[in-house]
Structures are given as structure tokens and as C-alpha cells.
């Protein structure tokens, strides 16, 4: 009996598409009589050559990457129920649209639109309230600044008036030292007169 060679071509059609890496590795296992490193290298080489028939093999050092051909068709076949032939010989099949799902989507879209409208109304009301509060704060600040300016102006005018009154008082008090001297002289004269009378 002859064993099939390691580079035997995989079967065509759906069987080829459904062939897994495990099946390829078992097919490349061949005779298990060879031991050690030669067996692992032989399996790796056989597996790589079999994978090259199924897709693209990239090697980076000890890392091997595999990209399968017709990946979309393989995914579609893996998701199809067993016993049901694949639709349309490789073409993409569009599933039927469920009217109930469309009605649910329309209802949900209406709910989302209503919620968005309500959210926008709330945001609008909040912004109006914040704007009114900001305007009130600005007006209060303006009134405070104006009243502070008026108070500062009145204070400056009162200070000038006080300085002027002080200057007038200073001018009015200029004869006081001479008057005080005269009073002292009169007091001394009176004291002398009292001394003479005793």
C-alpha cells in the first residue's frame, strides 16, 4: 500500500472549503515513525505547503500567519444551517427585511426624536434661565459700580470742602497767638497790681 504524499491536493468544492487546520496537520502527519526534530520540521513543511493551496502563508521567524482565500464565502458557509445548500454559488445574498423590525426601528426613532426634542427644550429653558441670571448679575454689578463711583465722588467733594474749611479755620485762628500773649501780659499786670495792693 502506498500512503498519500504530503503535498497531495485537497479535495475541490465545499469539502475543500471546510477543511480545517487540524485536518491539514493530521494529513501532514503521515508516518509517525520518524521521531524528534525531523518529524516536527516535516509536519511544519507539509502543513505550510498544504496551507499555501488554501490561502496565503506569511512567515516571520518562528511565527507563521495564514490568510484564507474566499474568507467571506467560508464564513457564510460556516454560518449556514447544515443540509441547506449555500445561496447563489458564491454571490452575496441579502436576507429578507422583517417588517416588524422596521416598525420597531421607526417607533424607536420616534421615541428618540421626542426625547431629543424634550432635551433641546430643557436645554433652551436652562440657557434662558442662565442668561437671565447673568443679565441680572451684570446689571447689579453695573449699579454697584455706578453707586460706588457716585459715593467716591461725594467723598472727594466732602474732603475738598473739609480741607477748605480747615484752611479758613486756620486763617481765622491766626490772631489767637497774639491775643493769648496779650492775655498773659494782662494777667501778669494784674498779679503785680495785686502784689502792690497787699
Amino acid at each position: 500500500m502506498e500512503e498519500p504524499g504530503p503535498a497531495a491536493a485537497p479535495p475541490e468544492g465545499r469539502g475543500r472549503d471546510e477543511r480545517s487546520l487540524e485536518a491539514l496537520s493530521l494529513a501532514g502527519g503521515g508516518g509517525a515513525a520518524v521521531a524528534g526534530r525531523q518529524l516536527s520540521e516535516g509536519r511544519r513543511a507539509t502543513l505550510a505547503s498544504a496551507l499555501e493551496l488554501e490561502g496565503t502563508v506569511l512567515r516571520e521567524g518562528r511565527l507563521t500567519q495564514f490568510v484564507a482565500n474566499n474568507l467571506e464565502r467560508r464564513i457564510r458557509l460556516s454560518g449556514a444551517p447544515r443540509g441547506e445548500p449555500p445561496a447563489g454559488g458564491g454571490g452575496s445574498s441579502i436576507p429578507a427585511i422583517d417588517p416588524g423590525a422596521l416598525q420597531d426601528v421607526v417607533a424607536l426613532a420616534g421615541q428618540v426624536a421626542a426625547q431629543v426634542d424634550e432635551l433641546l427644550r430643557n436645554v433652551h429653558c436652562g440657557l434662558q434661565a442662565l442668561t437671565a441670571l447673568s443679565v441680572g448679575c451684570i446689571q447689579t454689578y453695573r449699579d454697584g459700580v455706578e453707586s460706588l463711583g457716585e459715593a467716591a465722588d461725594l467723598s472727594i467733594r466732602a474732603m475738598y470742602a473739609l480741607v477748605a474749611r480747615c484752611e479758613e479755620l486756620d486763617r481765622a485762628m491766626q490772631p489767637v497767638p497774639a491775643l493769648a500773649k496779650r492775655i498773659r501780659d494782662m494777667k501778669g499786670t494784674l498779679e503785680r497790681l495785686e502784689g502792690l495792693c497787699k
Side-chain angles (χ1 to χ4, degrees):
M1 280 181 66
E2 292 184 1
E3 294 182 358
E12 297 295 331
R14 185 173 179 184
R16 177 180 177 183
D17 293 333
E18 293 176 347
R19 193 166 187 186
S20 64
L21 292 177
E22 183 181 357
L24 290 173
S25 62
L26 290 176
V34 184
R37 187 174 180 180
Q38 294 179 353
L39 179 60
S40 63
E41 289 180 358
R43 277 192 177 183
R44 210 177 308 152
T46 305
L47 179 61
S49 62
L51 288 177
E52 286 176 355
L53 297 175
E54 297 289 330
T56 305
V57 179
L58 301 174
R59 296 183 186 85
E60 295 179 3
R62 299 189 59 164
L63 178 65
T64 303
Q65 299 178 359
F66 172 69
V67 180
N69 294 333
N70 297 328
L71 185 59
E72 293 180 6
R73 184 167 181 266
R74 291 170 185 267
I75 294 173
R76 196 178 307 114
L77 289 175
S78 65
R82 293 190 176 181
E84 180 180 332
S92 62
S93 60
I94 300 175
I97 299 175
D98 186 9
L102 286 179
Q103 291 177 356
D104 293 342
V105 169
V106 170
L108 290 175
Q111 292 177 3
V112 170
Q115 291 176 359
V116 169
D117 290 339
E118 184 179 358
L119 176 63
L120 290 178
R121 279 195 298 270
N122 293 335
V123 170
H124 181 66
C125 294
L127 289 177
Q128 283 184 342
L130 290 176
T131 304
L133 181 62
S134 300
V135 170
C137 292
I138 291 172
Q139 289 176 352
T140 304
Y141 180 75
R142 182 196 62 194
D143 296 341
V145 170
E146 289 178 355
S147 62
L148 178 63
E150 292 176 358
D153 191 17
L154 291 175
S155 298
I156 292 171
R157 289 179 183 178
M159 183 63 67
Y160 279 129
L162 179 62
V163 169
R165 296 291 181 182
C166 290
E167 289 177 354
E168 290 178 2
L169 182 62
D170 186 40
R171 284 194 298 268
M173 294 291 288
Q174 283 179 359
V176 171
L179 184 61
K181 184 179 180 183
R182 288 179 63 185
I183 290 173
R184 282 194 299 269
D185 291 342
M186 289 175 66
K187 185 178 179 182
T189 304
L190 287 174
E191 288 176 355
R192 284 194 298 270
L193 285 174
E194 286 178 359
L196 289 175
C197 290
K198 289 180 180 179

Short mmCIF file of all heavy atoms in Angstrom, two decimals, residues 175-188:
data_model
loop_
_atom_site.label_atom_id
_atom_site.label_comp_id
_atom_site.label_asym_id
_atom_site.label_seq_id
_atom_site.Cartn_x
_atom_site.Cartn_y
_atom_site.Cartn_z
N PRO A 175 -4.95 135.30 64.53
CA PRO A 175 -4.76 136.29 65.61
C PRO A 175 -4.77 135.72 67.02
O PRO A 175 -4.49 136.42 68.00
CB PRO A 175 -5.92 137.27 65.46
CG PRO A 175 -6.80 136.73 64.39
CD PRO A 175 -6.21 135.50 63.84
N VAL A 176 -5.07 134.45 67.18
CA VAL A 176 -5.18 133.87 68.51
C VAL A 176 -3.85 133.91 69.27
O VAL A 176 -3.83 134.23 70.47
CB VAL A 176 -5.74 132.44 68.40
CG1 VAL A 176 -5.66 131.70 69.72
CG2 VAL A 176 -7.18 132.47 67.93
N PRO A 177 -2.68 133.60 68.67
CA PRO A 177 -1.43 133.66 69.45
C PRO A 177 -1.15 135.06 70.02
O PRO A 177 -0.74 135.18 71.19
CB PRO A 177 -0.37 133.24 68.44
CG PRO A 177 -1.09 132.40 67.46
CD PRO A 177 -2.45 133.01 67.35
N ALA A 178 -1.40 136.09 69.18
CA ALA A 178 -1.18 137.46 69.69
C ALA A 178 -2.14 137.78 70.82
O ALA A 178 -1.76 138.40 71.84
CB ALA A 178 -1.35 138.45 68.55
N LEU A 179 -3.41 137.31 70.68
CA LEU A 179 -4.39 137.54 71.74
C LEU A 179 -4.00 136.81 73.01
O LEU A 179 -4.13 137.34 74.14
CB LEU A 179 -5.76 137.10 71.24
CG LEU A 179 -6.94 137.34 72.18
CD1 LEU A 179 -7.11 138.83 72.48
CD2 LEU A 179 -8.21 136.78 71.56
N ALA A 180 -3.47 135.60 72.84
CA ALA A 180 -3.03 134.85 74.02
C ALA A 180 -1.87 135.56 74.70
O ALA A 180 -1.79 135.61 75.95
CB ALA A 180 -2.63 133.44 73.59
N LYS A 181 -0.97 136.18 73.94
CA LYS A 181 0.15 136.91 74.52
C LYS A 181 -0.35 138.11 75.30
O LYS A 181 0.11 138.40 76.41
CB LYS A 181 1.09 137.33 73.40
CG LYS A 181 2.33 138.01 73.92
CD LYS A 181 3.26 138.39 72.78
CE LYS A 181 4.50 139.09 73.33
NZ LYS A 181 5.40 139.54 72.24
N ARG A 182 -1.32 138.80 74.73
CA ARG A 182 -1.88 139.96 75.42
C ARG A 182 -2.57 139.55 76.71
O ARG A 182 -2.47 140.24 77.74
CB ARG A 182 -2.88 140.68 74.51
CG ARG A 182 -2.21 141.42 73.36
CD ARG A 182 -3.22 142.08 72.47
NE ARG A 182 -3.94 143.11 73.23
CZ ARG A 182 -4.96 143.80 72.74
NH1 ARG A 182 -5.40 143.53 71.51
NH2 ARG A 182 -5.56 144.72 73.48
N ILE A 183 -3.27 138.40 76.67
CA ILE A 183 -3.94 137.92 77.88
C ILE A 183 -2.91 137.58 78.94
O ILE A 183 -3.10 137.88 80.15
CB ILE A 183 -4.82 136.71 77.53
CG1 ILE A 183 -6.03 137.16 76.68
CG2 ILE A 183 -5.29 136.01 78.79
CD1 ILE A 183 -6.86 136.05 76.15
N ARG A 184 -1.80 136.98 78.53
CA ARG A 184 -0.76 136.66 79.51
C ARG A 184 -0.17 137.94 80.11
O ARG A 184 0.11 138.01 81.33
CB ARG A 184 0.33 135.82 78.84
CG ARG A 184 -0.06 134.36 78.66
CD ARG A 184 1.15 133.50 78.32
NE ARG A 184 1.78 133.91 77.07
CZ ARG A 184 1.48 133.43 75.88
NH1 ARG A 184 0.50 132.50 75.76
NH2 ARG A 184 2.13 133.85 74.80
N ASP A 185 0.02 138.93 79.22
CA ASP A 185 0.56 140.21 79.73
C ASP A 185 -0.41 140.85 80.73
O ASP A 185 0.00 141.35 81.80
CB ASP A 185 0.82 141.17 78.58
CG ASP A 185 1.97 140.71 77.70
OD1 ASP A 185 2.76 139.85 78.17
OD2 ASP A 185 2.06 141.12 76.51
N MET A 186 -1.69 140.81 80.39
CA MET A 186 -2.69 141.38 81.29
C MET A 186 -2.73 140.63 82.61
O MET A 186 -2.88 141.24 83.70
CB MET A 186 -4.07 141.36 80.63
CG MET A 186 -4.21 142.35 79.49
SD MET A 186 -5.78 142.22 78.65
CE MET A 186 -6.89 142.74 79.95
N LYS A 187 -2.60 139.34 82.56
CA LYS A 187 -2.61 138.53 83.76
C LYS A 187 -1.41 138.87 84.63
O LYS A 187 -1.51 138.98 85.87
CB LYS A 187 -2.61 137.04 83.37
CG LYS A 187 -2.74 136.13 84.56
CD LYS A 187 -2.79 134.69 84.09
CE LYS A 187 -2.89 133.76 85.29
NZ LYS A 187 -2.88 132.34 84.90
N GLY A 188 -0.24 139.04 83.99
CA GLY A 188 0.96 139.43 84.77
C GLY A 188 0.80 140.80 85.41
O GLY A 188 1.20 141.02 86.56
#
